[in-house]
Amino acid sequence: MRVEIKAGTAQGTAQAPPSKSDAHRALIAAALAEGKSIIRGIAPSEDILATLDCIRALGAKVEIAGNVATVTGGALEVQNVFPCRESGSTLRFLLPLALLRNTPCVFFGSQRLLERPMEIYESICCAQGINFTRQNGKIEVCGRLASGDYFLRGDLSSQFITGLLFALPLLQGESRLGVEPPFVSRPYVEMTLDTLEKFGIRIAQVDPLTFAIPGNQKYCPIDYSVEGDWSNAAFYEALHLLGGNVLITGLQPDSKQGDRVYRTLFPQIESGCPTIDIADCPDLAPILMAMGAAFHGIVLKNTARLKIKESDRGVAMAEELAKFGVACRVDGNSITVCGGELKKPRQPICGHNDHRIVMACATLLTRTGGAIEGAETVDKSNPTYFYDLQKLGIGVEIYGTVNR
């Protein structure tokens, strides 16, 4: 899909999309609860559709009416096929749950998803005698997860920690989960712990790096409302930073979402060339780079994990910012963006099959005008994004299809 954006100033009110991170966790917890849960505020993004498909494969019954999902769970009648599409959260959250029963399971996904690191789970399976095979565009597992002591790298992805925190309470026997520092993306684990507590699961944090997990617990069905998404809200609030007048609604100020930190970072970008550590908020990197390019520059630290996202995000953003006349330097674990005058790109922006690259660059195009190829990837997290821009008074022409 090609999108052409005219230079303009955004005006109006934007409702924050439902949090994809919150929705993943609530839907999975509901699938594990014995009984009927109501999950309100579901958006049909590609990643959430993947999780809905996979909790059905886990044995849950799901009915969708508008933005409300009714999930009847607890059966754990595991099927053998889990279609994860491009969702890393879906794959990493669900794989340990597939190991609660000694049933052969196959996880499918895009080529990029299956290229992303899974060594932590592979090592656990090897140590416990569980089959783990990764080849031909799929991951096959068969075996039963055991309770006990787990010690995970904390510098790769918090999603592995979350996956085990979902599964270990359902096993017989107590487990302990230790995290080897540095513990990156800790706020996402705090989100998980908050969701688990709401669904009746008890996990004790012995110290900042250790979790004690009693076994033989049961998830309780609840009525749950998904929060607004601070990650996606950053793209709308960036329009305000660029001189617009945009009010963002639907966000919880006391949210556990780590990306809420953008509200303290944007003023730093506006006033100078800050150095920002993104260890706990890597998903903000594209919009922070874009805003640095629009103002006085920016230096990002702890950026190595950007290589294993939907794209190599640091390199991808550097390539696209060059089209705006902005120079970037991408090093092993840092990125430097030079500020300066933005130029209208002579070539279309490439979406790199990455929703956050597309939205970050679209934000800059509201200042310069220009086109984006591969813009349909916004469906992954925010299908209404370009229509929201239109409602805010930005001229947007869409050639192709995108969900409303």
Side-chain angles (χ1 to χ4, degrees), residues 216-229:
N216 204 30
Q217 298 190 59
K218 291 185 178 180
Y219 285 75
C220 300
I222 64 173
D223 191 314
Y224 188 92
S225 294
V226 174
E227 293 184 13
D229 190 350

Side-chain angles (χ1 to χ4, degrees), residues 26 76 80 88 100 118 134 185 199 229-231 233 251 273 307 335 337 339 351 357 384 388 400 404:
L76 287 183
N80 66 344
L100 294 175
M118 290 293 288
R134 184 176 183 176
S185 297
F199 280 85
D229 190 350
W230 284 90
S231 297
L251 295 171
C273 179
K307 291 181 177 293
I335 295 172
V337 179
I357 300 295
T384 65
D388 292 340
R404 288 182 182 269

Side-chain angles (χ1 to χ4, degrees), residues 8-10 14 230-248 262-263 266-267 269-270 284 286-292 294-295 359-364 366-367 385 389 392 394:
T9 303
W230 284 90
S231 297
N232 274 324
F235 297 102
Y236 298 98
E237 196 139 345
L239 298 169
H240 189 84
L241 189 67
L242 290 177
N245 185 12
V246 180
L247 174 65
I248 314 298
Y262 79 76
R263 281 197 169 166
F266 279 2
I269 295 171
E270 189 176 22
L284 290 180
I287 192 60
L288 293 177
M289 291 178 69
M291 291 302 95
F295 287 92
M359 290 187 285
C361 291
T363 303
L364 294 181
T366 67
R367 176 169 283 188
Y385 173 71
L389 287 185
L392 291 171
I394 300 298

Side-chain angles (χ1 to χ4, degrees), residues 111-191:
Q111 179 179 347
R112 178 66 180 179
L113 175 64
L114 272 299
E115 290 173 350
R116 295 170 72 175
M118 290 293 288
E119 288 82 0
I120 288 178
Y121 285 160
E122 188 171 9
S123 296
I124 290 171
C125 288
C126 180
Q128 295 191 13
I130 297 170
N131 177 65
F132 184 107
T133 304
R134 184 176 183 176
Q135 60 183 5
N136 301 323
K138 60 186 178 182
I139 294 175
E140 299 181 67
V141 295
C142 184
R144 191 186 300 274
L145 195 67
S147 59
D149 293 335
Y150 290 80
F151 193 60
L152 274 60
R153 286 176 56 184
D155 63 343
L156 191 57
S157 172
S158 66
Q159 292 172 347
F160 298 106
I161 299 168
T162 285
L164 288 171
L165 289 175
F166 272 123
L168 294 177
L170 296 174
L171 302 176
Q172 292 186 354
E174 181 173 331
S175 297
R176 291 176 71 88
L177 196 160
V179 181
E180 178 183 356
F183 189 169
V184 299
S185 297
R186 183 188 293 268
Y188 287 101
V189 175
E190 293 175 356
M191 284 184 66

Side-chain angles (χ1 to χ4, degrees), residues 284-355:
L284 290 180
I287 192 60
L288 293 177
M289 291 178 69
M291 291 302 95
F295 287 92
H296 314 289
I298 193 170
V299 178
L300 301 182
K301 297 295 186 182
N302 280 315
T303 60
R305 286 186 301 143
L306 297 181
K307 291 181 177 293
I308 57 173
K309 296 292 185 176
E310 285 84 342
S311 67
D312 184 340
R313 281 186 175 158
V315 171
M317 277 300 297
E319 290 178 3
E320 301 315 310
L321 290 178
K323 297 176 183 178
F324 289 95
V326 175
C328 300
R329 186 176 74 248
V330 180
D331 298 316
N333 203 27
S334 68
I335 295 172
T336 302
V337 179
C338 299
E341 182 180 354
L342 294 174
K343 300 177 182 178
K344 182 176 180 177
R346 295 182 178 180
Q347 299 174 293
I349 296 298
C350 174
H352 294 269
N353 198 35
D354 192 322
H355 54 134

